[in-house]
Amino acid sequence: MKRLLIDGRLVETEKTFPSLNPATGEVLDHAPDATAADAEAAVAAARRAFDTTSWATDTARRLRCLRQLHRALTDHQEELRDLTIAEVGAPRMLTHGPQLDEPIKLVPYYTDLLEKYPLTEELGESEIRGQRHRRWVEKEAAGVVAAIIPYNYPNQLALAKLVPALAAGCTVVLKGAPDTPLTTLYLGELIAEHTDIPPGVVNVIVSSGVEAGEVLTKHPDVDMITFTGSTATGRRIMEAASATVKKVFLELGGKSAMIVLDDADFRAASMFAAFTICSHSGQGCALTSRLLVPREHHDEIVAMVAAGLERVSYGDPTDPKTFMGPLISERQRDKVDAMVQRAVAAGATLVTGGKRVDPGFFYTPTLLADVDPAGEIAQDEVFGPVLAVIPYDGEDDAVRIANDSIFGLSGAVHSADAQRAIAVARRIRTGTFSINGGNYFSQEVPFGGYKQSGVGRESGVAGLEEFLEIKSFAVVVP
């Protein structure tokens, strides 16, 4: 059984909870169930480490420890890969990309950035009332960070929060998701056993209930919260953090639209849409789950997308040829299926899919046509392999429909004219955008959303700056 990491010690708990293999529904192992007291201890350790050690000011020490972390991750990469496949249900091929291999690259990216990032900026001198005043700005660590992650990409999300926070000089309490606790706890064990990161600088906990999370969001000794998850939970976290005016980073839900313009290669766009929505069984906040197509080409494109979905291989995630694995839980599959059934009842056409597959928590790639852009299936996040096709009348109408959402995380556009596509992309209010299949997912590219998709950015230089405070200085020049 994995253990919590609190104040440099790997800790067992009296109470545990099961982690299931979503491809079989069987118990994979049991995880320690952190209590509110465990969360309190983790926060106290992080506070002490920030306030009484040199971690926040010793850049050389942080660089050395982060490089040790990178070496530990690469040395144990295949063990972590197998665990990710088993617990997350991620297909093996996906672990060679955003589920594991790409996230590990975040570590050297931020060590390289830290070496060259200017933590001090001179603003020059100014004469005020006959005296010369030198002014400058210094950037310093935000303090104790509570990092709370969901189940869908646990390695990516943990490292995208943990690594820049550590590079900035923060101390961290990382809380893993109850559906994928073992993967996150393994990261804590690597830190404890293979790095010189001081006790208290990184603490890793998981829990089956809400008590530990509530401690993190409300605790006065936590300076900043970085959270990825649903918009509903993000609202509650922002409200809880307001009592102590914590700095808050939120990466929340999405209902992103892919616009196929009338001059696009319909077949290529259709295949892109089909395979995108099935990536990790649709369990990605930035996936384009709305497909906007010219009304006069609706049926033609629907047929092409359906053919693409039929080509998606789903099943055993350990098989290197499998493209799509299971949903994370029976609960999530029930939610997805219920939304599909309600969409059909509301008038959408079920073209293909909409079926449960056992054993495990599989759901067939699903296509809904003639979807009302104001309906639930077009407005709410499904988090499953369900694509809603919406017809539009002209470019302006497509932009209007794409922007008619409380979310603004991502989007895509396909056109034979790249400049036309870019012009449309600039009219969509989202934080990331793919043009003709362009891939923005990378260590150096900021990621985050507009509107109720969140506050702030992860990855890139912006991802480091989220964990920094700005202090301005002025001194009278003799």
Side-chain angles (χ1 to χ4, degrees):
M1 186 182 77
K2 303 296 181 188
R3 292 165 290 176
L4 309 177
L5 174 60
I6 299 176
D7 203 8
R9 296 183 298 110
L10 293 171
V11 180
E12 295 182 356
T13 60
E14 290 186 11
K15 183 182 175 184
T16 65
F17 64 97
S19 177
L20 304 184
N21 181 333
T24 64
E26 298 174 352
V27 174
L28 184 64
D29 202 347
H30 287 77
D33 202 350
T35 63
D38 292 322
E40 291 271 5
V43 171
R47 184 80 264 167
R48 177 195 52 75
F50 186 81
D51 292 342
T52 66
T53 76
S54 65
W55 179 259
T57 56
D58 191 341
T59 302
R61 185 184 199 182
R62 299 201 302 273
L63 285 168
R64 183 179 74 254
C65 289
L66 284 170
R67 289 181 175 126
Q68 291 172 342
L69 174 59
H70 184 241
R71 185 161 54 250
L73 287 166
T74 53
D75 287 348
H76 297 83
Q77 194 162 345
E78 294 313 308
E79 299 160 45
L80 189 51
R81 189 185 314 282
D82 290 342
L83 180 57
T84 302
I85 293 168
E87 186 178 49
V88 184
R92 182 172 294 277
M93 67 170 62
L94 201 60
T95 67
H96 290 285
Q99 281 286 4
L100 181 60
D101 290 3
E102 287 301 315
I104 289 176
K105 295 177 184 177
L106 283 161
V107 189
Y109 170 78
Y110 279 109
T111 54
D112 291 347
L113 178 61
L114 180 59
E115 283 190 307
K116 62 186 180 183
Y117 185 83
L119 292 169
T120 301
E121 179 186 2
E122 290 288 341
L123 301 179
E125 294 184 8
S126 178
E127 184 174 339
I128 303 174
R129 294 188 294 275
Q131 291 182 311
R132 302 293 297 175
H133 298 257
R134 173 192 163 218
R135 291 87 51 81
W136 75 98
V137 167
E138 293 183 6
K139 297 179 181 180
E140 60 186 35
V144 174
V145 174
I148 305 171
I149 64 172
Y151 64 79
N152 55 333
Y153 287 85
N155 298 307
Q156 162 66 28
L157 295 165
L159 292 173
K161 297 178 187 303
L162 181 63
V163 175
L166 295 178
C170 297
T171 58
V172 182
V173 180
L174 172 64
K175 182 180 180 298
D179 286 309
T180 54
L182 307 177
T183 305
T184 305
L185 292 174
Y186 189 78
L187 176 61
E189 291 187 352
L190 291 180
I191 289 170
E193 296 173 349
H194 299 281
T195 77
D196 295 325
I197 294 175
V201 169
V202 178
N203 307 270
V204 183
I205 65 173
V206 296
S207 66
S208 62
V210 299
E211 292 81 6
E214 288 181 347
V215 168
L216 300 184
T217 57
K218 297 177 180 179
H219 204 294
D221 282 341
V222 171
D223 299 298
M224 175 180 173
I225 300 170
T226 171
F227 168 79
T228 297
S230 73
T231 294
T233 304
R235 294 188 194 110
R236 293 196 295 271
I237 286 175
M238 181 175 274
E239 182 178 6
S242 69
T244 48
V245 196
K246 300 185 193 306
K247 188 174 184 179
V248 176
F249 167 86
L250 301 173
E251 196 272 282
L252 307 175
K255 193 66 187 177
S256 303
M258 178 188 297
I259 301 173
V260 180
L261 296 179
D262 54 14
D263 64 346
D265 181 335
F266 294 159
R267 190 169 301 280
S270 297
M271 293 300 291
F272 188 84
F275 278 83
T276 295
I277 196 59
C278 293
S279 177
H280 196 32
S281 303
Q283 297 171 117
C285 50
L287 298 179
T288 43
S289 55
R290 292 183 292 159
L291 182 64
L292 278 51
V293 304
R295 189 176 300 277
E296 62 272 23
H297 297 290
H298 175 275
D299 293 350
E300 175 188 359
I301 294 174
V302 164
M304 292 179 182
V305 175
L309 290 174
E310 293 293 334
R311 294 176 58 180
V312 173
S313 59
Y314 65 88
D316 181 4
T318 65
D319 186 339
K321 296 180 181 179
T322 295
F323 183 81
M324 190 183 92
L327 292 169
I328 192 64
S329 66
E330 186 69 22
R331 178 186 68 256
Q332 180 61 20
R333 187 169 68 171
D334 286 346
K335 177 205 166 189
V336 170
D337 187 57
M339 291 185 74
V340 170
Q341 300 310 318
R342 289 196 297 270
V344 173
T349 301
L350 179 60
V351 180
T352 187
K355 297 178 181 178
R356 304 164 185 258
V357 179
D358 298 315
F361 310 129
F362 293 91
Y363 198 74
T364 53
T366 301
L367 181 64
L368 295 166
D370 295 304
V371 170
D372 178 356
E376 178 195 40
I377 203 73
Q379 290 292 322
D380 294 350
E381 191 170 42
V382 179
F383 236 55
V386 180
L387 183 63
V389 182
I390 302 170
Y392 68 82
D393 300 297
E395 196 172 288
D396 289 345
D397 192 39
V399 171
R400 178 191 64 78
I401 294 171
N403 283 330
D404 182 22
S405 171
I406 66 169
F407 302 112
L409 186 55
S410 190
V413 62
H414 286 255
S415 171
D417 183 340
Q419 292 308 308
R420 181 188 180 195
I422 292 171
V424 169
R426 287 182 172 138
R427 297 174 67 187
I428 310 301
R429 291 188 53 76
T430 65
T432 56
F433 215 87
S434 169
I435 298 166
N436 289 336
N439 182 10
Y440 53 76
F441 182 80
S442 183
Q443 298 78 37
E444 68 272 12
V445 180
F447 180 83
Y450 290 16
K451 300 189 281 188
Q452 293 189 40
S453 283
V455 179
R457 294 295 182 269
E458 274 185 340
S459 298
V461 175
L464 175 67
E465 292 176 339
E466 289 289 342
F467 297 99
L468 294 171
E469 293 283 12
I470 297 174
K471 181 181 289 186
S472 299
F473 294 85
V475 61
V476 173
V477 179

